[in-house]
C-alpha cells in the first residue's frame, strides 16, 4: 500500500475549479480570479507535444491542476494496460498535479476499448480486483489516487454489499482517497429510488479529497419512471445544488469541480456556475465528525 501522504491536496484550494476546454483559454486568462484551479482529462495530454501540451504548461504556471483519468478501466476483469499506465506516469511526473483521480468503472474488454464508463458489481471479487489495480496505479505514479463514485442506472443482482461499503473497503485496503460526485449521487438515487441525503449521511466524507458537480438530462424508462442521464451537458440543477449544500454541511469545504463536457457553453456560463459553488464553499462550516 502506498503512503497516502504522497498526495498533496493542499495544492488545490477549497474553491471551485473547472474542467479545462481549449475554447475557454482566453476567458480563463482574462479573468483568472474567477476560478481556483483547473482539471484536465489525462488522456487528452499523453502526447509528447503540440498545442494541447503547450496550453497546459502555460496554465500550470498560473493554476493548481487536478488530473482526472477516464481510460484506465480500474474495474475491468483483465489486467491494466501497462502502456497506458506508463504514459499516465509520464504526464503526472511533469505536471505534478495537486490531485489525481480515476473512475470506479470499466471500459475495456480483451483488446477492445468501449467509449463508456460501465459499472461493476459490488462483490468481494470486485473489491479484490479493484484494490489490486489501484495498488498498481499508485505504485506506478507514486502518489495517492482518488476513486470516484459512479452514476448508475440499474443494480447488479449479484452485488452483496452497498456501494458505500464497497468504496470504503477499497479505500481502506488500498490507501486511496475518494472523489465524491454529488451529481452522480443524485442521478443514481433518483434512478434506483433511494435517498440522496441518506447516501451522503452514510458516506465516509473524511476520505473525500474532491467534489464534482455537473448537469444531467431527464428521460423516462420503458415504464414511464424518471430516468436521469449523467450527460455533463447543461447547468447544475437546483436539487443538486441543494444536495451539494447538504454535503458541505457534513464534509466541510472541499475542492469542487464544475464538469461540463458536452454542448460546451460560453466561458461566462461556466464561470457563473463556478461562482455559485464558490459562494457555497465560503459559507460552508467545518466538517462534522464522520
Amino acid at each position: 500500500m502506498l503512503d497516502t501522504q504522497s498526495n498533496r491536496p493542499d495544492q488545490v484550494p477549497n474553491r471551485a475549479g473547472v474542467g479545462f476546454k481549449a475554447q475557454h483559454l482566453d476567458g480563463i486568462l482574462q479573468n483568472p480570479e474567477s476560478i481556483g484551479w483547473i482539471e484536465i482529462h489525462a488522456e487528452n495530454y499523453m502526447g509528447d507535444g503540440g498545442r494541447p501540451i503547450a496550453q497546459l504548461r502555460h496554465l500550470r504556471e498560473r493554476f493548481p491542476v487536478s488530473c482526472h483519468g477516464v481510460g484506465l478501466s480500474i474495474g475491468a476483469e483483465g489486467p491494466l494496460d501497462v502502456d497506458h499506465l506508463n504514459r499516465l506516469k509520464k504526464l503526472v511526473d511533469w505536471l505534478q498535479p495537486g490531485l489525481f483521480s480515476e473512475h470506479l468503472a470499466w471500459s475495456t474488454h480483451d483488446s477492445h476499448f468501449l467509449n463508456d464508463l460501465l459499472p461493476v458489481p459490488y462483490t468481494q471479487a470486485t473489491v479484490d480486483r479493484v484494490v489490486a489495480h489501484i495498488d498498481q496505479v499508485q505504485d506506478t505514479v507514486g502518489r495517492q489516487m482518488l476513486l470516484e463514485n459512479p452514476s448508475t442506472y440499474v443494480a447488479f443482482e449479484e452485488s452483496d454489499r452497498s456501494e458505500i461499503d464497497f468504496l470504503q473497503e477499497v479505500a481502506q485496503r488500498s490507501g486511496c482517497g475518494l472523489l465524491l460526485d454529488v451529481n452522480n449521487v443524485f442521478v443514481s438515487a433518483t434512478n434506483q429510488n433511494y435517498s440522496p441525503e441518506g447516501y451522503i449521511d452514510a458516506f465516509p466524507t473524511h476520505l473525500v479529497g474532491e467534489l464534482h458537480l455537473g448537469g444531467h438530462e431527464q428521460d423516462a424508462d420503458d415504464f414511464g419512471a424518471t430516468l436521469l442521464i449523467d450527460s455533463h451537458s447543461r447547468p447544475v440543477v437546483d436539487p443538486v445544488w441543494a444536495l451539494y449544500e447538504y454535503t458541505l454541511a457534513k464534509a466541510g469545504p472541499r475542492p469542487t469541480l464544475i464538469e461540463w463536457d458536452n454542448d460546451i457553453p460560453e466561458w461566462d456560463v461556466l464561470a457563473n456556475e463556478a461562482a455559485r459553488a464558490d459562494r457555497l464553499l465560503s459559507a460552508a462550516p467545518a466538517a462534522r465528525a464522520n
Side-chain angles (χ1 to χ4, degrees):
M1 180 191 299
L2 188 75
D3 179 3
T4 58
Q5 296 305 310
S6 61
N7 207 23
R8 299 181 300 278
D10 57 302
Q11 291 188 354
V12 176
N14 290 330
R15 283 198 57 197
V18 299
F20 172 64
K21 301 294 183 290
Q23 57 264 52
H24 294 152
L25 179 63
D26 289 343
I28 291 173
L29 295 179
Q30 289 168 11
N31 190 18
E33 67 277 2
S34 61
I35 56 171
W37 52 285
I38 63 168
E39 184 158 284
I40 56 105
H41 284 174
E43 287 71 17
N44 293 332
Y45 297 92
M46 287 184 173
D48 290 328
R51 180 174 293 182
I53 298 296
Q55 289 178 340
L56 181 56
R57 288 187 183 278
H58 187 65
L59 288 167
R60 183 65 185 87
E61 295 173 355
R62 292 158 176 79
F63 296 96
V65 176
S66 175
C67 180
H68 186 56
V70 296
L72 268 177
S73 201
I74 290 289
E77 290 190 358
L80 297 181
D81 183 330
V82 175
D83 288 339
H84 183 105
L85 188 52
N86 287 336
R87 290 194 299 271
L88 177 63
K89 173 179 169 52
K90 182 178 179 181
L91 170 64
V92 169
D93 282 349
W94 74 258
L95 182 62
Q96 289 296 300
L99 294 168
F100 163 61
S101 56
E102 257 286 351
H103 286 267
L104 174 60
W106 63 277
S107 56
T108 56
H109 181 68
D110 294 331
S111 61
H112 300 287
F113 179 80
L114 308 172
N115 192 27
D116 209 342
L117 296 170
L118 301 171
V120 298
Y122 299 136
T123 64
Q124 190 62 52
T126 312
V127 168
D128 294 342
R129 183 171 69 248
V130 170
V131 167
H133 286 170
I134 292 174
D135 284 345
Q136 183 181 359
V137 173
Q138 292 184 144
D139 288 343
T140 299
V141 301
R143 64 178 57 214
Q144 185 192 45
M145 189 189 87
L146 305 180
L147 184 66
E148 179 178 350
N149 60 297
S151 56
T152 55
Y153 306 94
V154 295
F156 284 92
E157 188 173 89
E158 69 231 68
S159 291
D160 57 19
R161 66 202 67 199
S162 72
E163 180 172 286
I164 291 174
D165 288 342
F166 180 96
L167 288 167
Q168 184 154 306
E169 182 175 350
V170 167
Q172 288 173 339
R173 286 180 52 187
S174 69
C176 78
L178 298 176
L179 191 164
L180 178 56
D181 189 313
V182 178
N183 183 64
N184 286 359
V185 173
F186 186 81
V187 165
S188 299
T190 301
N191 291 340
Q192 297 189 52
N193 195 30
Y194 59 81
S195 165
E197 292 83 7
Y199 184 101
I200 298 300
D201 287 340
F203 202 86
T205 52
H206 64 288
L207 299 175
V208 173
E210 183 179 333
L211 299 172
H212 277 190
L213 293 170
H216 59 257
E217 297 186 36
Q218 183 169 323
D219 203 340
D221 65 17
D222 292 341
F223 302 98
T226 297
L227 179 69
L228 301 184
I229 308 298
D230 181 33
S231 61
H232 299 175
S233 62
R234 55 191 59 210
V236 181
V237 298
D238 286 342
V240 172
W241 282 117
L243 186 62
Y244 176 58
E245 286 191 78
Y246 189 91
T247 302
L248 291 178
K250 181 186 180 188
R254 294 288 195 281
T256 299
L257 180 76
I258 304 295
E259 289 189 287
W260 203 318
D261 297 316
N262 299 295
D263 299 332
I264 308 299
E266 296 297 319
W267 169 246
D268 287 348
V269 175
L270 194 57
N272 286 337
E273 294 282 279
R276 183 169 180 177
D278 265 340
R279 289 193 294 271
L280 295 175
L281 282 164
S282 296
R288 300 201 311 258
N290 204 38

